[in-house]
Coordinates of all heavy atoms in Angstrom, one line a residue:
N218 N -9.4 37.9 0.1 CA -9.4 36.8 -0.8 C -10.7 36.0 -0.9 O -11.2 35.4 -2.0 CB -8.2 35.7 -0.5 CG -8.1 34.6 -1.4 OD1 -7.9 34.9 -2.6 ND2 -8.1 33.3 -0.9
V219 N -11.5 36.2 0.2 CA -12.8 35.4 0.4 C -13.7 36.1 -0.9 O -14.6 35.3 -1.4 CB -13.4 35.6 1.7 CG1 -14.0 36.8 2.0 CG2 -14.5 34.4 1.8
L220 N -13.5 37.4 -1.1 CA -14.3 38.0 -2.1 C -14.0 37.3 -3.6 O -14.9 37.1 -4.4 CB -14.1 39.5 -2.1 CG -14.5 40.3 -0.9 CD1 -14.4 41.7 -1.0 CD2 -15.9 40.0 -0.4
S221 N -12.7 37.1 -3.8 CA -12.3 36.6 -5.0 C -12.8 35.1 -5.1 O -13.1 34.6 -6.3 CB -10.7 36.5 -5.1 OG -10.1 37.7 -4.9
V222 N -12.9 34.4 -4.0 CA -13.5 33.0 -4.1 C -14.8 33.1 -4.5 O -15.2 32.4 -5.3 CB -13.3 32.4 -2.7 CG1 -14.1 31.0 -2.6 CG2 -11.7 32.0 -2.3
V223 N -15.6 34.0 -3.9 CA -17.1 34.0 -4.2 C -17.1 34.6 -5.8 O -18.0 34.1 -6.5 CB -17.9 35.1 -3.3 CG1 -19.3 35.3 -3.7 CG2 -17.8 34.5 -1.9
N224 N -16.3 35.4 -6.3 CA -16.3 35.9 -7.6 C -15.9 34.7 -8.6 O -16.8 34.4 -9.4 CB -15.1 36.9 -7.9 CG -15.5 38.3 -7.5 OD1 -16.8 38.5 -7.0 ND2 -14.6 39.2 -7.4
R225 N -15.0 33.9 -8.3 CA -14.6 32.8 -9.0 C -15.6 31.7 -9.0 O -16.1 31.1 -10.1 CB -13.3 32.2 -8.6 CG -12.7 31.1 -9.6 CD -11.4 30.6 -9.0 NE -11.7 29.9 -7.9 CZ -11.0 30.1 -6.6 NH1 -10.0 31.0 -6.5 NH2 -11.3 29.4 -5.6
E226 N -16.1 31.3 -7.8 CA -17.1 30.1 -7.7 C -18.4 30.4 -8.1 O -19.3 29.6 -8.6 CB -16.9 29.6 -6.4 CG -15.6 29.1 -6.0 CD -15.0 28.0 -6.8 OE1 -15.8 27.1 -7.1 OE2 -13.8 28.0 -7.0
L227 N -19.0 31.7 -7.9 CA -20.4 32.0 -8.0 C -20.6 33.1 -9.0 O -21.6 33.6 -9.1 CB -20.9 32.4 -6.8 CG -20.9 31.3 -5.6 CD1 -21.5 31.8 -4.3 CD2 -21.5 29.9 -6.1
G228 N -19.6 33.6 -9.8 CA -19.6 34.6 -10.8 C -20.0 36.0 -10.2 O -20.4 36.7 -11.1
A229 N -19.6 36.2 -9.0 CA -20.0 37.5 -8.5 C -19.0 38.6 -9.0 O -18.1 38.3 -9.6 CB -19.8 37.4 -6.9
D230 N -19.4 39.8 -8.7 CA -18.6 41.0 -9.2 C -18.1 41.8 -8.1 O -18.1 43.1 -8.2 CB -19.3 41.8 -10.3 CG -20.5 42.5 -9.8 OD1 -21.0 42.2 -8.7 OD2 -21.2 43.3 -10.7
F231 N -17.7 41.2 -7.0 CA -17.0 41.9 -5.9 C -15.7 42.6 -6.4 O -15.0 42.0 -7.2 CB -16.7 41.0 -4.9 CG -17.6 40.7 -3.8 CD1 -18.2 39.5 -3.8 CD2 -18.1 41.6 -2.9 CE1 -19.2 39.1 -2.8 CE2 -19.1 41.4 -1.9 CZ -19.7 40.1 -1.8
D232 N -15.7 43.8 -6.1 CA -14.3 44.6 -6.4 C -13.6 44.7 -5.0 O -13.9 45.5 -4.2 CB -14.7 46.1 -6.9 CG -13.4 46.8 -7.1 OD1 -12.2 46.3 -6.7 OD2 -13.5 48.1 -7.4
P233 N -12.6 43.8 -4.8 CA -11.9 43.9 -3.6 C -11.3 45.3 -3.1 O -11.3 45.5 -2.0 CB -10.8 42.8 -3.8 CG -11.3 41.9 -4.9 CD -12.2 42.8 -5.7
D234 N -11.0 46.0 -4.2 CA -10.5 47.4 -3.8 C -11.6 48.3 -3.3 O -11.3 49.4 -2.8 CB -9.8 48.1 -5.0 CG -8.6 47.2 -5.5 OD1 -8.0 46.7 -4.6 OD2 -8.3 47.3 -6.5
A235 N -12.9 47.9 -3.4 CA -13.8 48.7 -2.9 C -14.3 48.4 -1.4 O -15.3 48.8 -0.9 CB -15.2 48.6 -3.7
F236 N -13.4 47.6 -0.8 CA -13.6 47.2 0.5 C -12.3 47.5 1.4 O -11.2 47.2 0.8 CB -14.0 45.7 0.7 CG -15.4 45.4 0.2 CD1 -15.6 45.3 -1.1 CD2 -16.5 45.4 1.1 CE1 -16.9 45.0 -1.6 CE2 -17.8 45.1 0.7 CZ -18.0 44.9 -0.6
A237 N -12.3 47.7 2.6 CA -11.2 47.9 3.4 C -11.2 46.8 4.5 O -12.2 46.5 5.1 CB -11.1 49.3 4.1
H238 N -9.9 46.3 4.7 CA -9.9 45.3 5.8 C -9.8 46.1 7.1 O -9.1 47.0 7.3 CB -8.6 44.6 5.6 CG -8.0 43.9 6.8 ND1 -8.8 42.6 7.3 CD2 -7.1 44.0 7.6 CE1 -8.1 42.2 8.4 NE2 -7.1 42.9 8.6
V239 N -10.7 45.5 8.1 CA -10.6 46.1 9.6 C -10.5 44.9 10.5 O -11.2 43.9 10.4 CB -12.0 46.9 9.8 CG1 -12.1 47.5 11.1 CG2 -12.4 47.9 8.6
A240 N -9.6 45.3 11.6 CA -9.8 44.3 12.7 C -10.1 45.0 14.0 O -9.7 46.1 14.2 CB -8.3 43.7 12.9
V241 N -11.1 44.4 14.7 CA -11.6 45.1 15.9 C -11.5 44.2 17.1 O -12.0 42.9 16.9 CB -13.1 45.6 15.6 CG1 -13.6 46.2 16.8 CG2 -13.2 46.4 14.3
W242 N -11.1 44.6 18.3 CA -11.1 43.8 19.5 C -12.6 44.1 20.2 O -12.8 45.1 20.4 CB -10.0 44.2 20.4 CG -10.1 43.6 21.8 CD1 -10.2 44.2 22.9 CD2 -10.0 42.2 22.1 NE1 -10.3 43.3 24.0 CE2 -10.0 42.1 23.5 CE3 -9.9 40.9 21.3 CZ2 -10.0 40.9 24.2 CZ3 -9.8 39.8 22.0 CH2 -9.8 39.6 23.4
D243 N -13.2 43.0 20.4 CA -14.6 42.9 21.2 C -14.2 42.6 22.6 O -14.0 41.3 22.8 CB -15.6 42.1 20.5 CG -16.9 41.9 21.2 OD1 -16.9 42.3 22.4 OD2 -17.9 41.7 20.6
A244 N -14.0 43.6 23.5 CA -13.6 43.3 24.8 C -14.7 42.4 25.6 O -14.2 41.7 26.4 CB -13.4 44.7 25.6
E245 N -15.9 42.7 25.2 CA -16.9 42.0 26.1 C -16.8 40.3 25.7 O -16.8 39.5 26.6 CB -18.3 42.5 25.6 CG -19.4 42.0 26.6 CD -20.7 42.6 26.3 OE1 -20.6 43.8 25.9 OE2 -21.7 41.8 26.3
R246 N -16.8 40.1 24.4 CA -16.8 38.7 24.0 C -15.3 38.1 24.0 O -15.2 36.9 23.7 CB -17.6 38.5 22.7 CG -19.0 38.8 22.9 CD -19.9 38.5 21.7 NE -19.7 39.7 20.9 CZ -20.6 39.8 19.9 NH1 -21.6 38.9 19.5 NH2 -20.5 41.0 18.9
E247 N -14.4 39.0 24.1 CA -13.1 38.6 24.1 C -12.7 37.8 22.8 O -12.0 36.8 22.8 CB -12.6 37.8 25.3 CG -12.6 38.7 26.6 CD -12.0 38.1 27.8 OE1 -12.1 36.8 28.0 OE2 -11.5 38.8 28.6
W248 N -13.0 38.6 21.7 CA -12.5 38.1 20.5 C -12.3 39.3 19.4 O -12.8 40.3 19.6 CB -13.6 37.0 19.9 CG -15.0 37.5 19.2 CD1 -15.1 38.8 18.6 CD2 -16.2 36.8 19.4 NE1 -16.5 38.7 18.2 CE2 -17.1 37.6 18.7 CE3 -16.5 35.6 19.9 CZ2 -18.3 37.3 18.6 CZ3 -17.8 35.3 19.9 CH2 -18.9 35.9 19.2
I249 N -11.4 39.0 18.5 CA -11.2 39.8 17.4 C -12.0 39.5 16.3 O -12.3 38.2 16.0 CB -9.6 39.5 16.8 CG1 -8.4 40.0 17.8 CG2 -9.4 40.1 15.4 CD1 -8.3 41.4 17.6
E250 N -12.4 40.6 15.6 CA -13.3 40.4 14.4 C -12.6 40.9 13.3 O -12.1 42.0 13.3 CB -14.8 41.1 14.6 CG -15.7 40.4 15.5 CD -17.2 41.0 15.3 OE1 -17.5 41.6 14.4 OE2 -17.9 40.6 16.2
M251 N -12.5 40.2 12.3 CA -12.0 40.7 11.0 C -13.2 40.9 10.1 O -14.2 40.3 10.0 CB -11.2 39.7 10.2 CG -9.9 39.3 10.8 SD -8.4 38.9 9.8 CE -9.3 37.7 8.7
R252 N -13.2 42.4 9.5 CA -14.4 42.7 8.8 C -13.8 43.4 7.5 O -12.7 43.8 7.4 CB -15.2 43.6 9.6 CG -15.6 43.3 11.0 CD -16.4 44.5 11.5 NE -16.7 44.1 13.0 CZ -16.9 45.0 13.9 NH1 -16.9 46.3 13.5 NH2 -17.1 44.7 15.1
L253 N -14.8 43.3 6.4 CA -14.5 44.0 5.3 C -15.5 45.2 5.2 O -16.8 44.9 5.2 CB -14.6 43.2 4.0 CG -13.4 42.1 3.9 CD1 -13.8 41.1 2.8 CD2 -12.1 42.8 3.6
R254 N -15.0 46.5 5.2 CA -15.8 47.7 5.1 C -16.0 48.2 3.8 O -15.1 48.5 3.1 CB -15.2 48.6 6.1 CG -16.0 50.1 6.2 CD -15.3 51.0 7.2 NE -15.4 50.4 8.5 CZ -14.4 50.8 9.3 NH1 -13.4 51.7 9.1 NH2 -14.4 50.4 10.6
S255 N -17.2 48.3 3.3 CA -17.6 48.8 2.1 C -17.2 50.3 2.0 O -17.6 51.0 2.8 CB -19.1 48.7 1.8 OG -19.4 49.2 0.4
L256 N -16.4 50.7 1.0 CA -15.9 52.2 0.9 C -17.1 53.1 0.4 O -16.9 54.2 0.5 CB -14.7 52.0 0.2 CG -13.4 51.3 0.9 CD1 -12.3 51.4 0.0 CD2 -13.1 52.1 2.2
T257 N -18.0 52.4 -0.3 CA -19.0 53.3 -0.9 C -20.2 52.5 -0.9 O -20.3 51.3 -0.7 CB -18.7 53.6 -2.4 OG1 -18.7 52.2 -3.0 CG2 -17.6 54.3 -2.7
G258 N -21.3 53.1 -1.1 CA -22.6 52.6 -1.4 C -22.4 51.7 -2.7 O -22.0 52.2 -3.7
Q259 N -22.8 50.4 -2.7 CA -22.5 49.5 -3.9 C -23.5 48.3 -3.9 O -24.0 47.9 -3.0 CB -21.1 49.1 -4.1 CG -20.6 48.4 -2.8 CD -19.1 47.9 -3.0 OE1 -18.6 47.5 -4.1 NE2 -18.2 48.2 -1.8
T260 N -23.7 47.9 -5.2 CA -24.5 46.6 -5.4 C -23.6 45.6 -6.0 O -23.0 45.8 -7.0 CB -25.6 47.0 -6.3 OG1 -26.4 47.9 -5.7 CG2 -26.6 45.7 -6.4
V261 N -23.6 44.4 -5.3 CA -22.8 43.3 -5.8 C -23.6 42.2 -6.4 O -24.6 41.7 -5.7 CB -21.8 42.8 -4.7 CG1 -21.1 41.5 -5.2 CG2 -21.0 43.8 -4.2
K262 N -23.3 41.9 -7.6 CA -24.3 40.8 -8.2 C -23.6 39.5 -8.1 O -22.5 39.2 -8.2 CB -24.5 41.2 -9.7 CG -25.2 42.4 -10.0 CD -25.7 42.5 -11.4 CE -26.1 44.0 -11.7 NZ -25.1 44.9 -11.7
I263 N -24.5 38.4 -7.7 CA -24.1 37.1 -7.6 C -24.9 36.2 -8.4 O -25.9 35.7 -8.0 CB -23.9 36.6 -6.2 CG1 -23.4 37.7 -5.2 CG2 -23.3 35.4 -5.9 CD1 -23.4 37.3 -3.7
P264 N -24.6 36.2 -9.8 CA -25.4 35.5 -10.7 C -25.8 34.0 -10.4 O -27.0 33.6 -10.6 CB -24.6 35.6 -12.1 CG -23.5 36.5 -11.9 CD -23.4 36.7 -10.4
A265 N -24.9 33.3 -9.8 CA -25.1 31.9 -9.5 C -26.2 31.8 -8.5 O -26.9 30.7 -8.3 CB -23.8 31.1 -9.0
L266 N -26.4 32.9 -7.7 CA -27.6 32.8 -6.6 C -28.7 33.6 -7.1 O -29.7 33.9 -6.3 CB -27.0 33.2 -5.3 CG -25.8 32.5 -4.8 CD1 -25.4 33.2 -3.4 CD2 -26.2 31.0 -4.6
D267 N -28.6 34.3 -8.3 CA -29.7 35.2 -8.7 C -29.9 36.2 -7.7 O -31.0 36.5 -7.4 CB -31.0 34.4 -9.0 CG -31.8 35.2 -10.0 OD1 -31.4 36.1 -10.6 OD2 -33.0 34.8 -10.0
L268 N -28.7 36.8 -7.2 CA -28.9 37.8 -6.0 C -28.2 39.0 -6.2 O -27.1 39.0 -6.9 CB -28.2 37.0 -4.9 CG -28.4 37.4 -3.4 CD1 -29.8 37.5 -3.0 CD2 -27.6 36.7 -2.4
A269 N -28.7 40.1 -5.8 CA -28.0 41.3 -5.8 C -27.8 41.8 -4.4 O -28.9 41.8 -3.7 CB -28.7 42.4 -6.7
V270 N -26.7 42.1 -3.9 CA -26.6 42.5 -2.5 C -26.1 44.0 -2.4 O -25.1 44.3 -3.0 CB -25.5 41.6 -1.8 CG1 -25.2 41.8 -0.4 CG2 -25.6 40.0 -2.1
E271 N -26.9 44.6 -1.7 CA -26.6 46.1 -1.4 C -25.7 46.3 -0.2 O -26.0 45.7 0.9 CB -28.0 46.9 -1.1 CG -29.1 46.7 -2.0 CD -28.8 47.5 -3.3 OE1 -27.9 48.4 -3.4 OE2 -29.4 47.2 -4.4
F272 N -24.7 47.2 -0.4 CA -23.9 47.5 0.7 C -24.0 49.0 0.9 O -23.8 49.6 -0.2 CB -22.3 47.1 0.5 CG -22.0 45.7 0.6 CD1 -22.1 44.8 -0.5 CD2 -21.6 45.3 1.7 CE1 -21.7 43.5 -0.3 CE2 -21.2 44.0 1.9 CZ -21.4 43.0 0.9
A273 N -24.3 49.4 2.0 CA -24.3 50.9 2.3 C -22.8 51.4 2.5 O -22.0 50.5 2.8 CB -25.0 51.2 3.6
A274 N -22.5 52.6 2.2 CA -21.3 53.1 2.5 C -20.8 52.8 4.0 O -21.7 53.2 4.7 CB -21.1 54.6 2.2
G275 N -19.6 52.3 4.3 CA -19.4 52.0 5.7 C -19.8 50.8 6.2 O -19.5 50.3 7.3
E276 N -20.7 50.1 5.5 CA -21.3 48.7 6.0 C -20.2 47.8 6.2 O -19.3 47.7 5.3 CB -22.5 48.3 5.2 CG -23.1 47.1 5.7 CD -24.2 46.6 4.9 OE1 -24.6 47.3 3.9 OE2 -24.9 45.5 5.1
E277 N -20.1 46.9 7.2 CA -19.2 46.0 7.4 C -19.7 44.6 7.3 O -20.8 44.1 7.7 CB -18.5 46.1 8.7 CG -17.8 47.4 8.8 CD -17.2 47.7 10.1 OE1 -17.6 47.1 11.1 OE2 -16.1 48.5 10.3
L278 N -18.9 43.7 6.6 CA -19.1 42.3 6.5 C -18.2 41.6 7.3 O -16.9 41.6 7.2 CB -18.9 41.9 4.9 CG -18.6 40.4 4.5 CD1 -19.8 39.6 4.8 CD2 -18.3 40.4 3.0
R279 N -18.7 40.8 8.3 CA -17.8 40.0 9.2 C -17.3 38.7 8.5 O -18.2 38.0 8.1 CB -18.5 39.7 10.6 CG -17.5 39.1 11.5 CD -18.2 38.8 12.7 NE -18.9 37.6 12.6 CZ -19.9 37.1 13.6 NH1 -20.2 37.8 14.6 NH2 -20.5 36.0 13.3

Side-chain angles (χ1 to χ4, degrees):
N218 188 53
V219 75
L220 303 181
S221 307
V222 169
V223 177
N224 282 351
R225 187 186 62 232
E226 299 299 324
L227 303 180
D230 62 356
F231 274 108
D232 172 6
D234 292 337
F236 290 83
H238 164 71
V239 186
V241 179
W242 170 242
D243 181 330
E245 195 182 319
R246 293 185 281 193
E247 297 194 321
W248 71 40
I249 287 279
E250 284 195 13
M251 292 210 312
R252 304 177 188 161
L253 290 170
R254 180 180 295 155
S255 180
L256 295 175
T257 57
Q259 55 182 316
T260 304
V261 175
K262 295 194 195 65
I263 311 181
L266 301 180
D267 201 16
L268 191 67
V270 182
E271 304 285 341
F272 284 88
E276 185 178 352
E277 291 177 339
L278 157 64
R279 188 180 77 193

